[in-house]
Amino acid sequence: MAASNSKTGKAKSYWLVKTEPSTYSIDDWEKEKDKTTFWDGVRNYQARNTLRDLMKLGDEVLVYHSNAEPPEIVGVAKVVREGYPDFTALDTNHPHYDPDSTSDNPRWFMVDLKLIKRFKKRLSLAQAKEINELSGMELLRKGSRLSVQPVKANEFQAILEYCS
DNA sequence: GCCAACGTTGGC
DNA sequence: GCCAACGTTGGC
């Protein structure tokens, strides 16, 4: 039986988000009030659509450190607020400001995520490549750059098992 | 630091 | 609508 989402009763979905630890790491996240943060700054349409339309309350999200040594999956978060306009795109003083996004017609979206697990045993990209179950993972696709991406239930499960 | 892969822009 | 040029991502 598939895990169900406690809020909607529908099947839970799984995702992965990337962050560069030199900018925002899981340690920074840990210090947030209620371990909750808004996932701003995504400026890619496919990822935007995921944030706006697909990520639902209670969905679980792998946290990945990109541009890191080593690059690795470091924990799990969950969606605590569904898609809403990314206000940093509307703020002229913000580095993520986008003049083409307006409050009437917002172009970029974000969700709120709460950190729920820090892996004691992290899964590096190199290690992930050794796990058969993960061979089809979007993260492992050559040239994959999507910063918000879907994860299959069996992939999520395999990663949890490895990291616990 | 290098560079392959990718998404976006803009001339035509 | 094509596609070259460009900027960015992100592993190595």
Side-chain angles (χ1 to χ4, degrees):
Chain A
M1 187 179 92
S4 76
N5 184 311
S6 60
K7 291 283 199 316
T8 64
K10 299 211 171 112
K12 191 187 281 188
S13 298
Y14 301 97
W15 312 97
L16 178 147
V17 295
K18 298 179 182 176
T19 183
E20 300 197 13
S22 60
T23 304
Y24 189 83
S25 73
I26 193 170
D27 296 326
D28 299 322
W29 196 341
E30 184 89 38
K31 293 173 195 142
E32 303 280 5
K33 180 168 182 263
D34 212 20
K35 297 186 185 181
T36 297
T37 190
F38 49 88
W39 208 254
D40 65 308
V42 174
R43 299 290 180 268
N44 165 283
Y45 288 104
Q46 192 176 345
R48 184 281 308 269
N49 293 346
T50 299
L51 292 169
R52 186 187 59 190
D53 305 330
L54 301 179
M55 292 176 84
K56 298 299 179 188
L57 283 177
D59 283 357
E60 296 196 54
V61 183
L62 295 168
V63 180
Y64 177 75
H65 277 174
S66 62
N67 258 315
E69 186 48 54
E72 58 189 358
I73 298 172
V74 297
V76 182
K78 77 175 176 186
V79 178
V80 293
R81 182 178 174 187
E82 294 179 4
Y84 62 104
D86 180 341
F87 52 79
T88 68
L90 307 172
D91 177 355
T92 52
N93 292 320
H94 198 281
H96 295 149
Y97 174 63
D98 179 354
D100 292 329
S101 190
T102 63
S103 50
D104 282 349
N105 190 17
R107 170 173 295 194
W108 306 115
F109 284 73
M110 58 190 182
V111 297
D112 287 356
L113 297 176
K114 176 173 180 164
L115 188 63
I116 58 172
K117 189 186 296 258
R118 287 174 66 105
F119 290 142
K120 290 193 192 78
K121 188 175 163 198
R122 297 174 165 190
L123 178 65
S124 72
L125 190 62
Q127 289 162 339
K129 288 174 179 169
E130 303 298 316
I131 299 176
N132 275 340
E133 189 102 31
L134 304 183
S135 60
M137 229 188 143
E138 168 66 19
L139 186 69
L140 303 187
R141 228 190 68 237
K142 186 175 164 73
S144 171
R145 291 169 38 177
L146 255 190
S147 64
V148 180
Q149 56 182 253
V151 173
K152 296 181 194 76
N154 67 304
E155 295 167 346
F156 187 86
Q157 213 49 53
I159 290 165
L160 274 199
E161 279 164 25
Y162 181 93
C163 295
S164 56

